[in-house]
């Protein structure tokens, strides 16, 4: 599916086509893995925005870890005041007011970080594992294997995402694991396409051929020689998948398929659709703000990574 | 306010918006009485035998009529003749009901009739309507109501042939018809006022076939103009509607509200009804406040912007001359245990869980205190309800609940598995489930809430999966029997009894009451049953809700009520007042 | 290989994909999704009625036959009637397509043009403060959840400011215009971020190519180079990007439709899901799959037309 409703999937398509196009009209520039990365770090460390984003990402991850291990906001579910108390500066917990049950909206938003970060991370990992594995196999072996994998992902991507998501949660039942799997199983296609294309280009390169002549096995050629050379694409995609997944959680909550039982930004925004008309804006504000910051950071980081890692834009500074 | 006006006029200057304003179709309704009616769900179609909820029942009632109807302004609800001239004469054995049909009632003009002119309604239409309701191919949602009741109809159903005669459905002459029942069935007359038994013409059903759902042809006050499931449904006044007049009698409360001003005037009042489908509550509420729709049931989160804590309208509302209508609904919401599980055979456990949920708090949070905490299953307004009765297991007391839980064999919840609680996937339902979860976890239980799309929840209940689920039940007719049915053992899933509660003692009482006519004895039995159920706690009773509706001052004669499906024909609008108010206050 | 045989080959490729789509639909809705008759018959259903309805809907036939039915409908486009509204499904889809397209096409066109203009403008100042702040702004726009735009836009601009209709829809030109203004604007805002970001990358990709340097060395002005050469070459990926989105426009915008009461296909789909109306769900899935495949073929063909260097394989 498409539309602003999930600008998320738009984003994914965007980058799919970027990569695809590049694959077609770009001339290969052979590069050694190490110099690419050290070069990238040099560029990245000069980019203040990217560094800030990295720090934000670190802070969110830390928050997520701390809430997961119940070190902070373990008492998020306790009422601290009346229902829908407006924000005030008296008490840190009241910074974003309270929700219908009088619980601290700030604490809920912090607790929600755990869901968001875990969704981003796990969905990213699932997609990367499936996408890279299938893409690499298809690109490397070609022939009938390639045909089957391409058929599989074309079929999958021609079905609107929303239908797949609904169907998968239908089968797996509800809960956070379904959210991980449903998103992970639908979002790997883009990466798979990119990796397949890249592997196809790389496998005929001199360095792979020479590894072959030195007696490297097929698997070794693929995973030791080729994959590291396309790893920058994986990193860039991962940062995009991460934020797409966070945003998708909101859509899933809207259609009632979201995370159950613990607060998430999605359910908070879903609550807000009823509350806003009575003037309760703080739950929407808190969830949007928390989400805005991390998604923004991830986007900037993704851009910076691309600039730093994509050899073609090297002449830029 | 001043700033808003300035900004408004400033923005109006923008050419794009000015252009857009030229395109509005509003001009075409000038001078007409139009009812702007909001609806929160998508209407599936307008066929009497498919109308199993309040919303589709309302739509069906605009186009179709039944033999009987509820008096618009009498409370408690009273049946009276509609297409039938009067209530039927009943034979001495209580089994045969004979109706005189009102002469001169015509169906809407439609191309399925000869010369496209609606013909007169005759007794045979009633026979056809009930056969159609029984025909398995039609998948009627109303069959349960007369299942096993009408003589010969159940046999006919096995091999439906419309030319056959059925003993229980007899055409005596063009305007006389009689029903014969298998055994006494005190609720039978209610069945005739339900949308399922509204009269349909055979030619049209056959002419439109499957599409009949979208081409309703009846005898009612309105004809369907446009039908778009997810946008709007438009009706036009039936110009040939029979002489039907606004009632001249009313219950005390309605007389006080001045609802008899239109007494004796010809119905209906509106020239046109526009039913606007708005699924999300924000646009519904904003459109009401803008005067674009005429009334609205207050969404839970808007209570505080409408009502003060004394249950009066806020000044902002008063300034717009908005009016408030409150009437109890005949319903009960509850959280059911799945009695198929041995776990919930433990009465003390059920009582403990019921005691741990704070009904008053729940009422305050989700209904602004307008609802009534349910003590048992029968809602107020029906025989069997006892105002003074307080169910000891519905008085929130965490300490006692903990004690009960220990007596049940699970001290502090030890030994209990994780309990799943299913509900629908609306935002409200999610928050309510969260409330129940929070309450029960104070007892030491582990609760997992699950949100389901409606079909999935239905599936789980009907297939007896899941452990607990939240649901609400609306009366089908004003008789407590409608509520006892949801706990009657033989009605277990996939029937109406989703909790699968099966208690021989209770079943026996239901069976005994089922053939009793309305009488003090039956009321006494109902009261006893209601108390019995309160003690047993087969489900956690939550609330009896109240309809809280706000309407604009220009709407007249509006009455809230669960069985007033056909209210749109009685409602009137003061167009001058509307113009004035819209000009001055909005 | 010439272009015709290429197109033919790609069209033949639709068959295995459609078969795959059918198989997925079959697994999801006929095998694992549970019994739809429970929902269709309402709260007082009896076992006998359920059996009868299952028979009428053909759900008591062998799974293989049910699969064949789906395949047949996918290739004939005869989806039958909705289980719930009893309307002909193709008719329902036709009715829903109009509102969806009246919302999405103008918004999509406007959004794309706006994004191209802005990104060209931005690339003139690449690396500068303006470029950086616009890119930042775009990313910021993308980072706000779409529900927040809708809720706030409707409450503030439509209700408080009275600038737009709150919700609703009228069929027929030009009556629909007032109703699509606000959702259209929200659409543009939401899509602007990713669009600009993408177009800018594509244009910059070209700017750093050798030929641009050559052209500049020959003394052509920056603007001429940008508009004449760069835009022409950047058009390829831009077209691809734009065309592949078109089939999704038909599905409309689920959230926008439900908040603004626009009776489009998004709403029809959501409604079908909420009432177990499997034939409608299947039809929507098959049709969008077909649309997706056809437009991706179209993209590839356009690609070769715009840039003959691209080899067909």
């Amino acid at each position: 599916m498409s539309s602003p409703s999930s600008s998320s999937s738009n984003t994914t398509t965007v980058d799919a086509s970027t990569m695809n196009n590049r694959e077609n009209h770009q001339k290969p520039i052979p590069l050694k893995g190490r110099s690419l990365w050290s070069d990238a770090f040099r560029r990245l460390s000069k980019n203040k925005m990217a560094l800030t984003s990295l720090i934000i990402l670190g802070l969110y991850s830390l928050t997520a870890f701390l809430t997961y291990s119940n070190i902070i906001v373990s008492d998020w579910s306790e009422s601290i005041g009346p229902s829908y108390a407006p924000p005030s500066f008296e008490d840190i917990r009241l910074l974003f007011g309270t929700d219908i049950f009088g619980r601290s909206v700030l604490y809920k938003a912090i607790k929600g970080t755990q869901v968001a970060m875990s969704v981003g991370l796990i969905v990213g990992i699932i997609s990367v594992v499936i996408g890279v594995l299938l893409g690499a196999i298809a690109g490397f072996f070609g022939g009938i294997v390639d045909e089957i994998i391409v058929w599989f992902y074309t079929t999958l991507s021609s079905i609107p995402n929303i239908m797949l998501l609904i169907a998968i949660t239908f089968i797996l039942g509800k809960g956070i694991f379904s959210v991980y799997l449903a998103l992970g199983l639908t979002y790997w296609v883009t990466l798979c396409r990119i990796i397949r294309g890249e592997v196809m280009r790389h496998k005929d390169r001199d360095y792979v051929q020479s590894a072959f002549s030195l007696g490297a096995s097929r698997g070794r050629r693929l995973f030791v020689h080729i994959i590291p050379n396309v790893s920058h694409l994986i990193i860039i995609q991962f940062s995009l998948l991460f934020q797409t997944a966070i945003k998708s959680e909101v859509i899933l909550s809207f259609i009632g398929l979201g995370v159950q039982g613990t607060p998430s930004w999605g359910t908070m925004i879903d609550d807000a659709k009823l509350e806003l008309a009575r003037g309760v804006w703080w739950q929407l504000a808190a969830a949007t703000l928390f989400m805005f910051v991390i998604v923004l950071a991830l986007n900037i980081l993704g851009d910076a990574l691309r600039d730093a890692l994509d050899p073609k834009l090297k002449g830029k500074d | 306010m001043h700033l808003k006006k300035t900004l408004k006029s400033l923005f109006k200057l923008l050419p794009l918006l000015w252009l857009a304003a030229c395109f509005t179709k509003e001009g075409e309704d000038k001078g007409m009485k139009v009812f702007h009616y909001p609806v929160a769900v998508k209407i599936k179609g307008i066929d009497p035998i498919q109308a199993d909820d309040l919303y589709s029942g309302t739509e069906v009632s605009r186009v179709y009529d039944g033999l009987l109807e509820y008096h618009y302004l009498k409370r408690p609800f009273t049946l009276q003749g509609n297409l039938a001239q009067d209530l039927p004469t009943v034979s001495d054995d209580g089994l045969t009901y004979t109706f005189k049909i009102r002469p001169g009632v015509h169906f809407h003009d439609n191309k399925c009739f000869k010369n496209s002119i609606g013909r007169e309604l005759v007794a045979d239409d009633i026979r056809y309507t009930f056969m159609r309701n029984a025909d398995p191919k039609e998948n009627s949602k109303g069959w349960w109501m007369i299942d096993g009741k009408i003589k010969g109809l159940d046999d006919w159903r096995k091999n439906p042939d419309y030319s056959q005669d059925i003993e229980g459905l007899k055409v005596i002459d063009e305007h006389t018809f009689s029903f014969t029942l298998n055994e006494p069935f005190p609720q039978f007359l209610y069945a005739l006022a339900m949308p399922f038994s509204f009269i349909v013409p055979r030619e049209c059903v056959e002419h439109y076939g499957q599409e009949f759902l979208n081409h309703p042809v009846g005898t009612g006050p309105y004809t369907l103009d446009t039908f778009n499931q997810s946008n709007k449904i438009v009706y036009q006044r039936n110009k040939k509607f029979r002489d039907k007049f606004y009632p001249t009698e009313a219950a005390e409360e309605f007389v006080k509200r001045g609802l008899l001003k239109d007494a004796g005037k010809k119905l209906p009042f509106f020239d046109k009804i526009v039913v606007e489908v708005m699924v999300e509550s924000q646009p519904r509420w904003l459109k009401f406040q803008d005067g674009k729709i005429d009334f609205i049931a207050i969404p839970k989160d808007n209570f505080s912007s409408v009502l003060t804590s004394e249950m009066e309208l806020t000044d902002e509302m008063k300034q717009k001359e908005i009016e408030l209508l409150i009437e109890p609904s005949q319903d009960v919401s509850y959280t059911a245990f799945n009695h198929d599980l041995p776990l919930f055979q433990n009465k003390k456990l059920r009582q403990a869980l019921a005691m741990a949920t704070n009904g008053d708090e729940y009422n305050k949070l989700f209904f602004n205190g307008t609802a009534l905490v349910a003590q048992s299953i029968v809602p107020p307004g029906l025989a069997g309800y006892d105002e003074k009765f307080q169910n000891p297991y519905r008085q929130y007391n965490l300490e006692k609940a903990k004690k009960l839980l220990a007596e049940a064999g699970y001290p502090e919840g030890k030994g209990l598995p994780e309990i799943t609680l299913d509900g629908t996937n609306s935002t409200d339902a999610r928050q309510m489930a969260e409330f129940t979860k929070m309450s029960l976890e104070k007892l030491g239980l582990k609760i997992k809430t699950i949100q389901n799309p409606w079909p999935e929840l239905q599936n789980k209940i009907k297939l007896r999966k899941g452990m607990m689920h939240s649901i609400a039940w609306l009366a089908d007719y004003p008789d407590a029997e409608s509520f006892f049915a949801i706990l009657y053992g033989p009605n277990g899933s996939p029937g109406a009894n989703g909790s699968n509660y099966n208690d021989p003692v209770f079943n026996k009482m239901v069976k005994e009451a089922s053939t009793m006519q309305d009488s003090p004895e039956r009321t006494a039995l109902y009261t006893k049953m209601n108390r019995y159920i309160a003690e047993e706690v087969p489900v956690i009773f939550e609330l009896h809700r109240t309809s809280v509706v706000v309407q604009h001052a220009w709407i007249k004669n509006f009455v809230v009520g669960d069985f007033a499906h056909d209210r749109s024909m009685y409602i009137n609008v003061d167009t001058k007042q509307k113009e004035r108010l819209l000009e001055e206050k909005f | 290989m010439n272009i015709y045989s290429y197109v033919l080959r790609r069209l033949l490729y639709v068959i295995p994909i459609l078969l795959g789509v059918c198989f997925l639909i079959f697994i999801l809705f006929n095998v694992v999704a549970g019994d739809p008759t429970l929902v269709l018959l309402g709260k007082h259903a009896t076992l006998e009625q359920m059996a009868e309805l299952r028979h009428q809907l053909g759900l008591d036939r062998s799974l293989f036959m049910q699969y064949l039915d789906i395949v047949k409908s996918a290739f004939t486009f005869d989806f039958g009637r909705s289980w719930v509204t009893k309307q002909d499904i193709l008719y329902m889809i036709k009715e829903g397509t109009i509102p969806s397209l009246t919302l999405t096409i103008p918004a999509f066109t406007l959004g794309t043009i706006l994004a191209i203009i802005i990104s060209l403008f931005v690339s003139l100042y690449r690396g500068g403060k303006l470029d950086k702040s616009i890119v930042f702004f775009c990313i910021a726009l993308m980072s706000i959840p779409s529900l927040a735009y809708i809720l706030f836009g409707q409450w503030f601009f439509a209700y408080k400011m009275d600038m737009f209709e709150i919700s609703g829809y009228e069929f027929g030109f030009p009556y629909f215009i007032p109703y699509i203004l606000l959702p259209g604007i929200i659409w543009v805002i939401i899509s602007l971020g990713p669009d600009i970001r993408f177009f800018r990358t594509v244009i910059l990709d070209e700017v750093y190519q050798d030929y641009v340097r050559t052209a500049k060395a020959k003394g052509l002005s920056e603007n001429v180079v940008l508009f004449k050469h760069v835009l022409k070459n950047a058009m390829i990926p831009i077209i691809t990007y734009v065309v592949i989105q078109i089939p999704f426009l038909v599905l409309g915008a689920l959230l926008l439709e439900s908040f603004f009461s626009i009776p489009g296909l998004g709403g029809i789909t959501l409604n079908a899901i909420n009432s177990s109306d499997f034939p409608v769900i299947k039809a929507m899935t098959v049709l969008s799959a077909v649309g997706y495949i056809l437009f991706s073929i179209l993209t590839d063909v356009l690609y070769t037309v715009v840039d003959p260097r691209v080899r067909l394989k």
Side-chain angles (χ1 to χ4, degrees), chain B residues 355-410:
Chain B
M355 269 189 109
T357 47
N358 188 338
D360 291 314
E361 185 68 19
Y362 187 86
N363 186 8
K364 207 176 97 214
L365 281 179
F366 297 108
F367 297 92
N368 219 37
T370 56
L372 197 73
V373 178
Q375 304 299 325
S376 183
I377 199 158
V378 180
L382 297 184
Y385 175 75
D386 183 351
E387 207 180 325
K388 279 175 240 108
F389 175 62
Q390 295 283 307
N391 181 351
Y393 304 107
R394 275 306 283 148
Q395 313 311 314
Y396 174 67
N397 189 330
L398 194 58
E399 288 318 305
K400 271 195 193 160
K402 279 180 178 163
K403 233 175 94 200
L404 272 171
L405 189 64
E407 286 169 30
Y410 305 103

Side-chain angles (χ1 to χ4, degrees), chain B residues 58-128:
Chain B
T58 305
E59 300 310 314
V60 161
S61 308
R62 303 191 212 278
V63 180
Y64 293 99
D65 271 317
L67 282 174
L68 300 179
E69 65 177 355
Y70 293 101
H71 189 286
Y72 186 56
L73 296 176
K74 278 189 187 162
R75 294 292 180 277
F77 287 96
T78 314
L79 286 172
Q80 65 179 22
N82 187 20
L83 289 178
Q85 277 181 322
D86 215 331
L87 292 178
T89 48
V90 187
S91 65
D92 292 339
D93 58 3
L95 294 179
T96 303
Y97 293 68
T98 310
F99 288 91
K100 273 290 184 204
I101 293 157
R102 202 177 288 276
V105 176
H106 285 81
F107 285 107
H108 302 156
D109 291 344
N110 192 288
K111 65 176 183 211
C112 54
F113 294 115
K114 210 194 265 172
N115 303 328
S116 297
I117 292 171
R119 65 164 170 80
E120 193 181 1
L121 173 117
V122 290
D124 200 50
D125 290 316
I126 295 156
R127 177 172 165 272
Y128 174 73

Side-chain angles (χ1 to χ4, degrees), chain B residues 2-294:
Chain B
H2 187 69
L3 176 78
K4 188 182 155 189
K5 279 259 156 76
T6 329
L7 273 171
K8 263 188 192 176
S9 45
L10 200 72
F11 281 123
K12 286 258 161 76
L13 286 177
L14 293 170
L16 179 75
L17 301 170
W18 179 77
L19 204 69
C22 297
F23 294 145
T24 45
K25 258 185 170 172
E26 273 160 19
E28 74 180 28
D29 291 341
K30 213 146 194 132
M32 278 170 83
K33 285 187 172 182
V34 184
F35 195 14
H36 294 279
Y37 190 103
V39 58
V41 300
K42 299 190 174 178
I43 303 296
K44 287 170 184 143
I46 305 168
D47 180 348
I49 56 169
Q50 298 299 327
D52 72 335
D53 58 63
L54 211 59
Y55 305 102
S56 37
T58 305
E59 300 310 314
V60 161
S61 308
R62 303 191 212 278
V63 180
Y64 293 99
D65 271 317
L67 282 174
L68 300 179
E69 65 177 355
Y70 293 101
H71 189 286
Y72 186 56
L73 296 176
K74 278 189 187 162
R75 294 292 180 277
F77 287 96
T78 314
L79 286 172
Q80 65 179 22
N82 187 20
L83 289 178
Q85 277 181 322
D86 215 331
L87 292 178
T89 48
V90 187
S91 65
D92 292 339
D93 58 3
L95 294 179
T96 303
Y97 293 68
T98 310
F99 288 91
K100 273 290 184 204
I101 293 157
R102 202 177 288 276
V105 176
H106 285 81
F107 285 107
H108 302 156
D109 291 344
N110 192 288
K111 65 176 183 211
C112 54
F113 294 115
K114 210 194 265 172
N115 303 328
S116 297
I117 292 171
R119 65 164 170 80
E120 193 181 1
L121 173 117
V122 290
D124 200 50
D125 290 316
I126 295 156
R127 177 172 165 272
Y128 174 73
T129 298
F130 280 85
M131 285 166 115
R132 177 170 183 258
N133 200 346
D135 189 342
K137 282 193 197 61
E138 298 282 350
N139 300 312
S140 168
K141 286 183 183 163
W143 167 244
W144 62 274
M145 188 68 212
I146 48 170
D147 187 359
K149 309 289 195 218
I150 294 176
K151 212 168 203 172
L153 195 56
D154 294 73
D155 282 335
W156 177 84
R157 200 168 187 261
K158 290 181 191 122
N159 198 3
D161 171 5
Y162 285 86
S163 63
Q164 249 170 23
D165 280 326
I166 294 170
E167 210 188 330
L169 300 173
K170 204 173 277 164
V171 176
I172 296 168
D173 63 44
E174 274 220 325
H175 291 105
T176 317
F177 187 85
S178 76
F179 293 95
T180 308
L181 307 180
N182 287 321
E183 55 179 3
F185 174 33
Q187 289 82 19
F188 181 59
L189 290 184
Y190 294 130
L192 301 182
M194 285 167 77
F196 303 128
S197 32
F198 286 4
I199 311 301
V200 295
R202 182 171 180 175
E203 337 32 347
C204 301
V205 176
E206 283 167 1
H207 179 263
Y208 288 110
Q210 291 221 53
E211 287 270 355
F212 182 66
L213 188 63
N214 305 307
H215 295 271
V217 184
T219 51
Y222 293 96
T223 57
L224 183 68
D225 180 324
T226 30
F227 179 79
N228 186 312
Q229 199 199 6
S230 35
N231 181 23
K232 60 185 178 185
I233 307 170
V234 181
Y235 299 90
Q236 301 286 354
R237 190 161 60 91
N238 172 12
K239 296 204 175 69
K240 294 186 177 170
F241 188 56
R242 66 178 179 275
D243 282 344
K244 184 167 178 177
F245 303 99
Y246 193 86
T248 50
E249 291 170 89
E252 197 57 28
E253 44 173 327
F254 296 140
V255 178
K256 268 194 217 138
R257 263 184 60 201
L259 292 191
L260 283 180
K261 273 194 196 124
D262 281 325
K265 287 193 185 151
K266 191 171 172 348
L267 300 173
F269 295 111
F270 284 109
D271 299 305
K272 187 174 168 183
I273 300 178
V274 181
V275 178
E276 297 200 40
V277 184
M278 284 174 282
V279 179
E280 295 298 333
S281 81
Q282 170 162 312
R284 259 198 328 269
W285 179 240
L286 296 181
K287 272 194 132 172
F288 170 74
Q289 288 195 296
D290 231 7
K292 299 259 169 55
I293 53 176
D294 290 328

